[in-house]
Amino acid sequence: MSDNRPANLEICFSPALYSAINTQMPFSVVVVDILRATTAMCSALSKGLKEIIPVASLDEARAMKAQGYLVAAEREGDILDFADYGNSPLDYQHIDLAGKTLVYSTTNGTQAIKLAENAEEVLLGAYVNLDVLVQYLLSQQKDLVILCSGWKDQFSLEDAVFAGALAARLLEGGNYVSRCDSVAAALGLWQQAAPDLLNYHHKASHTHRLKEIGQDASIPFCFQLNACEVVPGLVDGRIVDVTGDR
Amino acid sequence: MSDNRPANLEICFSPALYSAINTQMPFSVVVVDILRATTAMCSALSKGLKEIIPVASLDEARAMKAQGYLVAAEREGDILDFADYGNSPLDYQHIDLAGKTLVYSTTNGTQAIKLAENAEEVLLGAYVNLDVLVQYLLSQQKDLVILCSGWKDQFSLEDAVFAGALAARLLEGGNYVSRCDSVAAALGLWQQAAPDLLNYHHKASHTHRLKEIGQDASIPFCFQLNACEVVPGLVDGRIVDVTGDR
């Protein structure tokens, strides 16, 4: 920041609240979809994937599959029949993705990324890249909105708690400030969840949804700290690791 | 409930999230605007006011003032020049309101009431009527949405914490159940706030807003439990005490 003032921090608990945010452009956005889009995208990029093309509609994803792209596509947690992958971060742990491009469409995460695309910078956050994301944000110190993807425009506990974890780290050094009620609430939730993150989230409705469809094996990975040394960011409509050449 | 199943409970943290709620009609709604509309309306009805006509627009409020109505009208916390009262619950403590009708228009509260008006029943909740409201709801045991008025469609800490207080009381006996993430979050916030409600809310942005405009004298009353023995509810477009003939 040229004037060296602390950057302003806001949290949006749902894409439906994004148009009501109380901060002036320009600002950066960190999109959060802990279960599981932003976790999975961190996972894929950390395994050498070159880039992700986020698409909101399934028609687009299907058309790009027909053009020969690798496609990850999920709705309601389930992989779609035409897709190569669903939304599990574990899908990317044991395959060779080096240099490849992946088209990605999910219930909530890719919609939130699209919503934010006019921001100064759009980054993706998850527990798996928390510390490296914090370092990147502190080096920039730009006004920031943490945008929780939620579930079909509803509040999601796991995204809100992560927003609190990220906010706590940004605020502690004084480089960021906030008078946003969402930040105060998220900090409180993070304080309650932090001592036992995985157990705390047994009450999150999306962990139940994933269990019901047999996708719960991926849940522990989604709450694992710093497993992926990447900061995914939107550049010319594609998600790449913006710290790529370290 | 004819089938005696527990009633479903949801919380909406903002009017902007109301259309995304995940419960089937019919359901009742408790509208919450702790600072200060629902608190003030409880206060006025408890002092003998016959009814409140909520109107969303200031033009309507102004026109009804010209017709001779008593009018409470506020924007951003300040009383408007044409109005008899603003939005402070203290306004109604020492005047004779018996049998009168009051037209009411506020920044957030009356907008939320209007939004909910197609629900099975619309009630108003605040700390000042918490216990009597809980008794009323438990006697009905209908599916329920607690609708936080928020601040210009943003999340408000004081409304979310109150939603947690109300949810805790409804859930404890097993007559209500919830798998809503907003409920889980609100319960956590209430747990943190309950030991010292007034001090906890020093971090709420609207307490700062009220201080800046010299309206903070009304804040302690807004966190006072059970000062008003009324359950305001919408009947034919007017808010009356639905427990009126006890």
Side-chain angles (χ1 to χ4, degrees):
Chain A
M1 310 285 305
S2 56
D3 56 2
N4 238 354
R5 69 170 173 88
N8 186 52
L9 177 64
E10 305 258 335
I11 293 174
C12 244
F13 283 138
S14 155
L17 301 177
Y18 187 67
S19 65
I21 44 171
N22 187 26
T23 191
Q24 304 292 315
M25 281 283 192
F27 54 78
S28 296
V29 173
V30 171
V31 174
V32 177
D33 186 1
I34 296 301
L35 296 173
R36 301 173 290 174
T38 58
T39 304
M41 291 181 188
C42 286
S43 171
L45 286 171
S46 77
K47 293 294 171 184
L49 187 78
K50 181 183 160 208
E51 58 186 8
I52 295 164
I53 306 178
V55 300
S57 82
L58 290 179
D59 284 347
E60 252 179 302
R62 197 179 279 108
M64 292 181 83
K65 175 66 190 170
Q67 289 169 41
Y69 281 98
L70 268 181
V71 171
E74 157 274 351
R75 286 298 181 275
E76 315 267 336
D78 280 323
I79 182 171
L80 296 183
D81 55 2
F82 67 87
D84 303 288
Y85 308 108
N87 202 19
S88 171
L90 303 182
D91 287 349
Y92 308 111
Q93 290 297 296
H94 306 291
I95 51 175
D96 181 18
L97 292 168
K100 292 183 181 165
T101 295
L102 178 66
V103 170
Y104 214 112
S105 183
T106 77
T107 312
N108 304 292
T110 47
Q111 324 288 328
I113 294 166
K114 289 284 177 190
L115 182 64
E117 67 188 358
N118 291 328
E120 174 97 337
E121 186 166 23
V122 181
L123 304 165
L124 307 190
Y127 289 107
V128 293
N129 77 334
L130 179 56
D131 283 357
V132 61
L133 174 64
V134 168
Q135 285 165 34
Y136 182 85
L137 292 169
L138 288 174
S139 74
Q140 304 248 324
Q141 204 181 318
K142 290 178 186 167
D143 286 356
L144 183 67
V145 174
I146 304 173
L147 172 56
C148 299
S149 297
W151 177 260
K152 299 181 179 177
D153 277 348
Q154 291 176 74
F155 176 93
S156 274
L157 191 61
E158 68 277 9
D159 293 344
V161 169
F162 174 80
L166 179 53
R169 283 161 171 79
L170 294 176
L171 293 168
E172 69 185 2
N175 301 83
Y176 285 78
V177 292
S178 181
R179 277 181 66 176
C180 164
D181 278 16
S182 303
V183 172
L187 290 170
L189 296 175
W190 166 243
Q191 193 184 356
Q192 290 173 325
D196 192 351
L197 207 50
L198 202 54
N199 269 324
Y200 177 90
H201 284 88
H202 285 160
K203 58 185 160 189
S205 56
H206 200 51
T207 64
H208 293 281
R209 236 176 260 125
L210 290 171
K211 273 174 202 160
E212 280 159 15
I213 58 170
Q215 286 282 343
D216 47 324
S218 62
I219 294 175
F221 184 82
C222 298
F223 292 101
Q224 197 174 314
L225 283 169
N226 304 318
C228 305
E229 285 279 314
V230 292
V231 178
L234 199 59
V235 178
D236 298 331
R238 297 177 177 221
I239 296 163
V240 299
D241 178 9
V242 294
T243 65
D245 289 310
R246 286 169 310 162
Chain B
M1 311 283 305
S2 56
D3 55 1
N4 238 354
R5 70 169 174 88
N8 186 51
L9 176 64
E10 305 259 334
I11 292 173
C12 244
F13 283 138
S14 155
L17 302 176
Y18 187 67
S19 65
I21 45 171
N22 188 26
T23 190
Q24 304 291 317
M25 281 282 193
F27 54 77
S28 297
V29 173
V30 171
V31 174
V32 177
D33 186 0
I34 297 300
L35 295 173
R36 299 173 291 174
T38 57
T39 304
M41 290 181 189
C42 287
S43 170
L45 287 172
S46 77
K47 292 295 172 183
L49 188 78
K50 180 184 160 207
E51 58 186 7
I52 295 165
I53 305 177
V55 300
S57 82
L58 290 180
D59 284 347
E60 252 179 302
R62 197 178 280 110
M64 293 182 82
K65 175 66 191 169
Q67 289 169 40
Y69 281 99
L70 267 182
V71 172
E74 157 274 353
R75 285 298 181 277
E76 314 268 336
D78 281 323
I79 182 171
L80 296 182
D81 55 3
F82 68 87
D84 303 289
Y85 307 108
N87 202 19
S88 170
L90 304 183
D91 288 350
Y92 307 111
Q93 292 296 298
H94 305 292
I95 50 174
D96 181 19
L97 292 168
K100 292 182 181 164
T101 294
L102 178 66
V103 170
Y104 214 113
S105 183
T106 76
T107 313
N108 304 292
T110 47
Q111 325 289 326
I113 293 166
K114 288 283 175 189
L115 183 64
E117 65 189 359
N118 291 328
E120 175 96 338
E121 186 166 23
V122 180
L123 304 165
L124 307 190
Y127 288 107
V128 293
N129 76 335
L130 179 55
D131 283 356
V132 61
L133 174 65
V134 168
Q135 285 166 33
Y136 183 85
L137 292 169
L138 288 174
S139 74
Q140 304 249 323
Q141 202 180 319
K142 290 180 186 164
D143 286 356
L144 182 67
V145 174
I146 305 172
L147 172 57
C148 299
S149 298
W151 178 260
K152 297 180 180 179
D153 277 348
Q154 292 176 71
F155 175 94
S156 275
L157 191 61
E158 68 277 9
D159 292 343
V161 170
F162 174 80
L166 178 54
R169 282 162 172 77
L170 294 176
L171 293 169
E172 70 185 3
N175 300 83
Y176 285 78
V177 292
S178 181
R179 277 181 67 175
C180 163
D181 278 16
S182 303
V183 172
L187 290 171
L189 295 175
W190 166 242
Q191 193 184 356
Q192 291 174 322
D196 193 351
L197 206 50
L198 201 54
N199 268 324
Y200 177 90
H201 283 90
H202 285 159
K203 59 185 160 190
S205 56
H206 200 51
T207 64
H208 293 282
R209 237 176 259 127
L210 290 172
K211 273 174 201 159
E212 281 160 15
I213 58 171
Q215 287 282 343
D216 46 324
S218 61
I219 294 175
F221 183 82
C222 298
F223 292 101
Q224 196 174 312
L225 283 169
N226 304 319
C228 306
E229 285 280 315
V230 291
V231 179
L234 199 59
V235 178
D236 297 332
R238 299 180 175 216
I239 296 164
V240 299
D241 178 7
V242 295
T243 64
D245 289 311
R246 286 170 309 163

